[in-house]
Amino acid sequence: MKLVVLIKQIPNTSNVRIDPKTGNLVREGVTSIMNPEDRHALEAALSIKDHFNAVVDVISMGPPQAIEVICEGLAMGADKGILLTDRAFAGADTWATSTALGNAIRKNGPFDLILAGRQAIDGDTAQIGPQIAEFLGIPQITCVSALELSDGKVVANRIIENGCERIETPLPALVTCLASLNEPRYPTVGRILDSVLESTPIEIWNAADIGVKAQEVGLAGSLTQVLKTFTPKGGRETQYLEGTPSDIASGIVQFFVDRQVRLGE
Amino acid sequence: MSILIQQDRCNGCGLCARSCPYQALEMLDKKATWLEDRCTLCGACLESCKVGALSGEIPTREAPDFREYRGVWVFVERQGSGFHRSAFELLGCARGLADFLGEDVSSIMLGADSDDKGFNELISRGADQCIAVNHPALGQYRTCSYTHALTHLVLKHRPSILLIPATTIGRDLAPRLARRLKLGLTADCTRLAIDPQERVLLQTRPAFGGNIMATIVTRYSRPQTATVRPGVMKPLDIDSTRKGVIVFEDVNLPDSVDVTKILECVMNIESATNLSEAGIIVAGGRPICSEQGMSVLKEFAEAIGAEVACTRVVVEEGFMSTDRQVGQTGQTVRPEIYFACGISGAVQHRAGMDGSRYIVAINRDPDAPIFEIADVAVVADIYQILPILTRTIKDYKGLSITC
C-alpha cells in the first residue's frame, strides 16, 4: 500500500510580529515548524504503516529550507521525501499550488491514500486538499477525526457543524485530518540522525521535473492576486474599562456597537 | 510555443545553457540544443544570448473579456428544514454588491425536496431569483454530487460573483468546484466590496492568524469566487414585500458521479463541537471550575449567542470535554469575538486564539499576559462582571437595536 502525506513548513504564528512602521511580517527570529495538522496526517499514515504493509512518502513545496520538515517527516518514520522547490513556484495561490503538488503526486506514481492537514495555520484556506483531490479525480473526505482502512475502502468520521458524519469511499482517495485524529509520535534519535545523511531518500524537484510550464505555477499561474496587505485597524490597542460592574458591562457592549459587530444571533 | 535556435548565429558560448534553471538547453557539437520536455518557458535563456541566436514567444497574460458574466450568486446552506444563518448573511452582503453593480442576486439551493416556503424567506432577505435543483442524490451534502450540480448551474448561467459560506460544507465544496471550473478562490473572507474603477470584487481576509489582512482580486477567472466567514456579514431585515422569481433546474446526476457513501450522521452530539466556525466564543479558565462557574459562563454564552470553550486545566478538572479546549494542544479558533474569562493567557492558550478579531479579557490579575493581546481589558473578578454583562446584553437585545 502506498500512502502520500502532504506537509508544509510554516512560520510559527504564535510568535509572528508585525513591524508597526512597515506593516510587514517580522521574519527575524521567527521559527519554522511543520504545520500542526500535517503532523497528525503523517501520524495517521504512520499508524496505518504500523498495521499494514505500507510505504509512506512525504511531499512538501516551499523554499529550499523546507527540507527541514521533510527530514522531520523521515525522522518520524516516513520512507521517502520529496521537496518541490523552484523560484517558479513562488507566490502561488491555491490554484497554482495544487497544480504543482498534483503534478508531483502524479509523477511519484500510483498511491492508495493521500493524507494532509485540514489547513495550514499561516493561510488557513483549507483549499489545497480538495483542489488536489479534484486535480487527481479522486474522492475526498475533509475534517477527519477518525479513520479506518479495509478492503480497498476508507471509512472516516468527518466533523461538521453540530455533528459528525461517517463516510465511506473507495481508494484511492484523499483525506484532510484534524488534530483530534491522533497523538503524533516523536521522531526517534536514530531516525533524526539518519534523516540528515547523504543517503537519505529525499528527492528535490523543480518545475521541469514535474513537467509544468513556468506560467502554470507560482505567481504567474495564480488566478487570484493579492492587491494589498495591511494590519487590521485598531489591532490590539488595549482599552481598559473601569468603574462599576454595570459601567464595565455597558462599556463592553458599546465597544462592539461602535465597531458594528453584532452581539448574538 | 517553443524556443528557436538559429544554428548559424549560435557561437557555442554556452551562456544560455548556464542560464537555464532546468537543464533544458544543452551544448551539442558546440551548438545549443533545446530539450522541449525540460523547458518550462520561463524565458531566462532569451536574455542570456549575446548574439541573438535564441528567440521564442513567452506567453503573456491578458485578462479575458468577462462582460457576459453577470449576477451575484449565493450558495445557501440548509440546516434541517430551514437555513444556516450564513445564508441570510451572505444574501445581505450580496445585495449590497449587486446594487453597486446594477445586477441581480440569486440564491442557489441544492436539495431533494425544496419547497416554496423557503424561497419566500430567501426573497424577503434579498434574493431576486431563487435557483433550485431538486434531485434525490442531493438530499444530503456530498462533495462530488454538489460540485457536479453547481458546475452545471455556473456554466449555464455565468454569474460574475459566487459567494459560498465558509462552513464545513462550503470549505469542502468551494475548492473542489474552483479546481473543476478553473476559478480563483479566496477563503474565509471577512469583508467584500466592489472596486469602483475596475468593478472587480475586493476580497479581504485575515492571514497569519489574523495578524495581517490581505485584499485579494480575481483577475483571470469568473465567477469571482469566495468563501465568507459566518457571523461577520449583516443580514437584511425581513422585507416581505420584496418580489423574486423561482427557477427549478434539472441536473443529470448519475450515481457514478459520487462514489462516497454517508453511512451515518450524528447531529448535536457534545463531542462534535466545531469551535473553529464559531462567530463568538466565551472561554473560561480555572476560576470557572465549579458548577456555579459553569452556569455563569454558559448563561453569558447563551445570551450572546456564543460557543463555550476553555483552557487545558478546565478539561483536566473534568468541567468540559477536550473538543472545547482552545490552545496549542487543543483547537485553534478565530472568532469575531473571544471572551477570555478568568484566563491568564499562557502562551500555549494564546497560540490557539490570538487570531481572534476582537479579544475581551476579564481577569483579576492586572499582570495577566492575556491583557497584552486584548482589545478590551477588564481587571475584575469574573463573578462580578459576567452576570451583569449577561443582563446588559439581554436588555440591549430587548431594545432590538440593530448594530
Side-chain angles (χ1 to χ4, degrees), chain A residues 211-263:
Chain A
V212 295
K213 300 298 170 209
Q215 287 76 20
E216 295 175 72
V217 290
L219 187 61
S222 295
L223 296 173
T224 57
Q225 287 74 39
V226 177
L227 209 60
K228 61 168 182 180
T229 57
F230 56 98
T231 322
K233 258 186 236 161
R236 311 286 186 243
E237 277 178 26
T238 310
Q239 189 176 327
Y240 279 83
L241 298 181
E242 286 166 0
T244 66
S246 54
D247 291 345
I248 289 172
S250 318
I252 291 173
V253 171
Q254 194 58 44
F255 179 90
F256 290 108
V257 171
D258 292 347
R259 282 160 187 76
Q260 301 190 338
V261 175
R262 280 185 299 130
L263 296 171

Side-chain angles (χ1 to χ4, degrees), chain A residues 49-93:
Chain A
K49 185 183 159 185
D50 292 342
H51 295 99
F52 298 90
N53 183 22
V55 174
V56 177
D57 293 350
V58 289
I59 302 185
S60 188
M61 180 171 114
Q65 77 162 74
I67 201 160
E68 293 164 7
V69 290
I70 300 277
C71 290
E72 198 180 341
L74 293 170
M76 281 173 71
D79 298 289
K80 185 176 103 179
I82 298 168
L83 175 64
L84 304 188
T85 190
D86 191 325
R87 235 170 245 200
F89 295 148
D93 71 353

Side-chain angles (χ1 to χ4, degrees), chain B residues 88-105:
Chain B
F88 306 134
E89 294 168 3
L90 266 61
L91 281 173
C93 170
R95 185 75 261 159
L97 301 173
D99 287 345
F100 191 92
L101 290 167
E103 297 179 6
D104 283 348
V105 173

Side-chain angles (χ1 to χ4, degrees), chain A residues 11-18 23-25 27 86-88 93-96 98-99 118-119 121-128 130-135 137-143 155 158-170 179 206-209 211-215 219-242 244-246 248-250 252-253 255-257 259-265, chain B residues 21-22 36-42 58-59 61 77 79 84-85 89 141 143 167-169 171-172 175-176 178-180 182-187 191 202 204-221 231-235 259-269 272 274 276-277 280 304-305 328 334 336-337 339 350-351 354-360 371-379 384-385 388-389 392-393 396-397 403:
Chain A
N12 191 353
T13 45
S14 59
N15 58 10
V16 160
R17 293 282 171 269
I18 308 296
N24 289 333
L25 275 184
R27 292 201 180 253
D86 191 325
R87 235 170 245 200
D93 71 353
T94 62
W95 167 269
S98 58
T99 302
R118 169 192 45 171
Q119 61 191 33
I121 60 174
D122 54 349
D124 289 321
T125 71
Q127 286 171 190
I128 294 301
Q131 286 180 326
I132 287 173
E134 172 65 22
F135 180 93
I138 57 172
Q140 71 191 46
I141 308 177
T142 55
C143 298
V155 176
R158 163 170 150 80
I159 298 295
I160 53 174
E161 275 91 0
N162 308 321
C164 174
E165 288 175 336
R166 201 164 166 73
I167 300 180
E168 178 191 287
T169 192
N206 62 24
D209 293 324
V212 295
K213 300 298 170 209
Q215 287 76 20
L219 187 61
S222 295
L223 296 173
T224 57
Q225 287 74 39
V226 177
L227 209 60
K228 61 168 182 180
T229 57
F230 56 98
T231 322
K233 258 186 236 161
R236 311 286 186 243
E237 277 178 26
T238 310
Q239 189 176 327
Y240 279 83
L241 298 181
E242 286 166 0
T244 66
S246 54
I248 289 172
S250 318
I252 291 173
V253 171
F255 179 90
F256 290 108
V257 171
R259 282 160 187 76
Q260 301 190 338
V261 175
R262 280 185 299 130
L263 296 171
E265 296 298 313
Chain B
Y22 306 106
E36 183 173 3
D37 59 342
R38 292 283 313 166
C39 180
T40 72
L41 296 170
C42 71
I58 298 306
R61 237 177 159 196
E77 189 173 320
Q79 198 169 52
H84 188 266
R85 63 178 175 144
E89 294 168 3
Y141 171 76
T143 313
T167 55
T168 343
I169 286 178
R171 282 157 67 94
D172 186 85
R176 188 95 198 189
R179 184 76 221 185
R180 187 163 299 180
K182 200 176 180 187
L183 306 176
L185 175 63
T186 307
R191 200 181 314 155
L202 302 172
T204 301
R205 71 178 303 265
F208 286 99
N211 285 299
I212 279 196
M213 304 292 289
T215 300
I216 291 165
V217 292
T218 311
R219 290 226 166 81
Y220 300 100
S221 62
V232 179
M233 302 299 175
K234 197 181 155 198
V259 294
T260 60
K261 271 190 240 164
I262 300 175
L263 304 178
E264 201 184 344
C265 185
V266 186
M267 297 308 285
N268 295 319
I269 52 172
N274 200 339
S276 58
E277 312 290 348
I280 305 179
I304 203 166
Q328 209 154 39
R334 284 183 187 80
E336 272 296 284
I337 315 177
F339 286 92
R350 285 162 51 171
D354 64 0
S356 306
R357 181 74 185 88
Y358 294 106
I359 296 170
V360 180
F371 291 130
E372 291 166 20
I373 57 162
D375 298 281
V376 179
V378 177
V379 182
Q384 287 179 347
I385 302 296
I388 290 173
L389 184 56
T392 310
I393 289 193
Y396 161 78
K397 286 204 300 197
C403 60

Side-chain angles (χ1 to χ4, degrees), chain A residues 67 98 101 195 202:
Chain A
I67 201 160
S98 58
L101 286 168
S195 75
I202 297 180

